[in-house]
Amino acid sequence: NAGVTQTPKFQVLKTGQSMTLQCAQDMNHNSMYWYRQDPGMGLRLIYYSASEGTTDKGEVPNGYNVSRLNKREFSLRLESAAPSQTSVYFCASSHISYEQYFGPGTRLTVT
Amino acid sequence: DAKTTQPTSMDCAEGRAANLPCNHSTISGNEYVYWYRQIHSQGPQYIIHGLKNNETNEMASLIITEDRKSSTLILPHATLRDTAVYYCIVRGLYNNNDMRFGAGTRLTVKP
């Protein structure tokens, strides 16, 4: 099992560019999540998907969109990147209410 | 979800027990205490969780006070690889979409 995988590992964008962060899990989990982590801070939830076909906003959803493509995949899109979106992005998955499993993260810099 | 308070940092000697405290004085009756850790900017890793009884697994022990207003995570024989940021999180069992990561405690295990 690869667990939770994320691509890309690193990305540099110019202000206004768009990109999609990809996440996939092979644990047959129902729920998936996107977090961001700014330097020296804990993680904050951007969006989550409780099950295939559903998505909901988390604590900091502005500037992001998500797609739960199927049970395995949950993508995060930045339509028009801003420097304030420079962060490390983590995807996670879980089986309903159990513990979350996290991916290795995507380090995004917006200049 | 209830707010938690943790010390910013702690040191521990290799081979000794590391005791990481967490205060959660506003915890409600159906909320669990979860512990995660994050090693050097990797994705967070689940450690343990509990409701009111003490819990133990292969990684750690969790001691929750009788009034449930505080808890202690115990790493019985800390190693250098246990150096990480440890997060104490309080949430309802089915509120997996509301994992509030604070700043955590930075544990440094020293030789």
Side-chain angles (χ1 to χ4, degrees), chain A residues 37 45 94 96-98 100 107, chain B residues 36 38 41 93 96-97 102:
Chain A
Q37 184 173 32
L45 183 65
S94 72
I96 311 177
S97 62
Y98 298 155
Q100 294 186 15
R107 280 143 186 83
Chain B
Y36 283 75
Q38 188 173 25
S41 300
L93 184 62
N96 222 342
N97 56 302

Side-chain angles (χ1 to χ4, degrees), chain A residues 33 35 37 41-43 45 48 59 90 94 96-100 102-104 107, chain B residues 34 36 38 41-44 46 87 91 93-94 96-103:
Chain A
Y33 314 82
Y35 292 87
Q37 184 173 32
M41 297 180 64
L43 283 71
L45 183 65
Y48 67 98
E59 186 183 354
F90 289 101
S94 72
I96 311 177
S97 62
Y98 298 155
E99 65 268 22
Q100 294 186 15
F102 286 81
R107 280 143 186 83
Chain B
Y34 283 76
Y36 283 75
Q38 188 173 25
S41 300
Q42 296 175 17
Y46 166 82
Y87 298 100
R91 68 167 178 89
L93 184 62
Y94 295 102
N96 222 342
N97 56 302
D98 202 10
M99 295 264 286
R100 300 286 175 145
F101 288 82

Side-chain angles (χ1 to χ4, degrees), chain A residues 47-84:
Chain A
Y47 270 93
Y48 67 98
S49 170
S51 61
E52 186 178 353
T54 68
T55 61
D56 285 286
K57 294 178 181 179
E59 186 183 354
V60 288
N62 290 347
Y64 305 95
N65 287 303
V66 290
S67 295
R68 183 73 182 267
L69 305 168
N70 48 55
K71 192 170 187 180
R72 289 188 64 247
E73 298 171 293
F74 189 37
S75 63
L76 178 72
R77 183 161 177 83
L78 287 71
E79 290 291 351
S80 178
S84 61

Side-chain angles (χ1 to χ4, degrees), chain B residues 48-66:
Chain B
I48 199 168
H49 75 280
L51 181 62
K52 55 183 178 180
N53 297 323
N54 298 338
E55 302 287 346
T56 296
N57 63 20
E58 65 279 2
M59 287 182 70
S61 295
L62 174 61
I63 308 298
I64 302 174
T65 58
E66 193 168 342

Side-chain angles (χ1 to χ4, degrees), chain A residues 2-23:
Chain A
V4 179
T5 57
Q6 294 184 234
T7 55
K9 287 187 168 52
F10 300 93
Q11 184 72 49
V12 179
L13 292 178
K14 294 188 188 310
T15 298
Q17 288 185 317
S18 62
M19 79 161 295
T20 299
L21 282 65
Q22 306 286 355
C23 174

Side-chain angles (χ1 to χ4, degrees), chain B residues 77-92:
Chain B
H77 304 287
T79 71
L80 298 179
R81 288 175 295 179
D82 292 322
T83 292
V85 177
Y86 288 77
Y87 298 100
C88 170
I89 298 164
V90 170
R91 68 167 178 89

